[in-house]
Structure formats: structure tokens, C-alpha cells
Amino acid sequence: MSDFRLGDVIDDHCIKCRRVTNHAIVSLVNGEPAKVRCRTCYHDHDYRHEIAPPSKKDLKKQELFKEVLSSVVPAAADPPAESEVSVKPAKKAKARSKRA
């Protein structure tokens, strides 16, 4: 379906609703949707091709990870030997309390 028209209904990710919902096309650029309006909350935004934007938390994690990698010496970045593989600690048993 390459022939889009104003008012056509397409799916897109809405930031306010935080999910993929029906949207109406509000503007077209070169025959492709540029702006859409959510038919649930009536919020206008750029067409995102049904892709959710990364959360701020994920962006922060990625930034910190890159910072740590840049500070590591290349020789220390080699994969650990089999004897250095960490073992997960056992789960602690929950204490049960008796109700009166």
C-alpha cells in the first residue's frame, strides 16, 4: 500500500499512550506520512514507523557501558578463563512468620 492519503488510518507508536495504536495521517512528504494523529488520545506527532523510542534509562545504561569499555585496558578486555567464570549465589530462603 504505497498510495497514502490524508486521513488514512495506519498503525504507529504513540508516546502518550505508550503503545501501538491507530493513527490518522495529518501530513504527507513525498507521498510518505510525515505527521500523524493518534485516534485514541488525539496527540499529533511525527510518524515513527511503529518503532518505540528508546527509554531514557536504556540510553543512560548504554552511555555508562561505553564509558566503562573505553576505560578498560585492551589486554584486560580478553574473555575470562574457564576457572574465572562466576557462579550465581544460591537464593536465600524466605522466613515465614505466623499470623495470630
Side-chain angles (χ1 to χ4, degrees):
M1 186 167 119
S2 62
D3 296 332
F4 292 109
R5 298 182 307 169
L6 293 179
D8 282 353
V9 177
I10 56 176
D11 288 336
D12 196 18
H13 185 271
C14 180
I15 296 242
K16 280 196 168 184
C17 297
R18 296 183 182 164
R19 59 186 174 150
V20 175
T21 58
N22 287 337
H23 287 70
I25 298 175
V26 177
S27 68
L28 296 168
V29 174
N30 298 329
E32 295 295 319
K35 294 237 181 224
V36 292
R37 177 177 291 140
C38 179
R39 293 180 57 133
T40 304
C41 69
Y42 301 104
H43 179 70
D44 289 351
H45 57 81
D46 293 335
Y47 182 55
R48 295 186 174 84
H49 303 281
E50 298 183 41
I51 299 173
S55 69
K56 291 180 182 177
K57 187 175 183 180
D58 290 340
L59 291 174
K60 185 69 175 172
K61 283 181 185 177
Q62 186 178 15
E63 181 183 324
L64 289 172
F65 185 72
K66 286 181 181 179
E67 183 181 328
V68 169
L69 283 180
S70 66
S71 66
V72 173
V73 179
D78 293 335
E82 290 181 18
S83 62
E84 296 178 29
V85 174
S86 63
V87 178
K88 291 184 179 179
K91 291 184 179 180
K92 294 180 181 178
K94 294 183 180 179
R96 294 186 179 178
S97 60
K98 293 184 179 181
R99 294 184 179 174

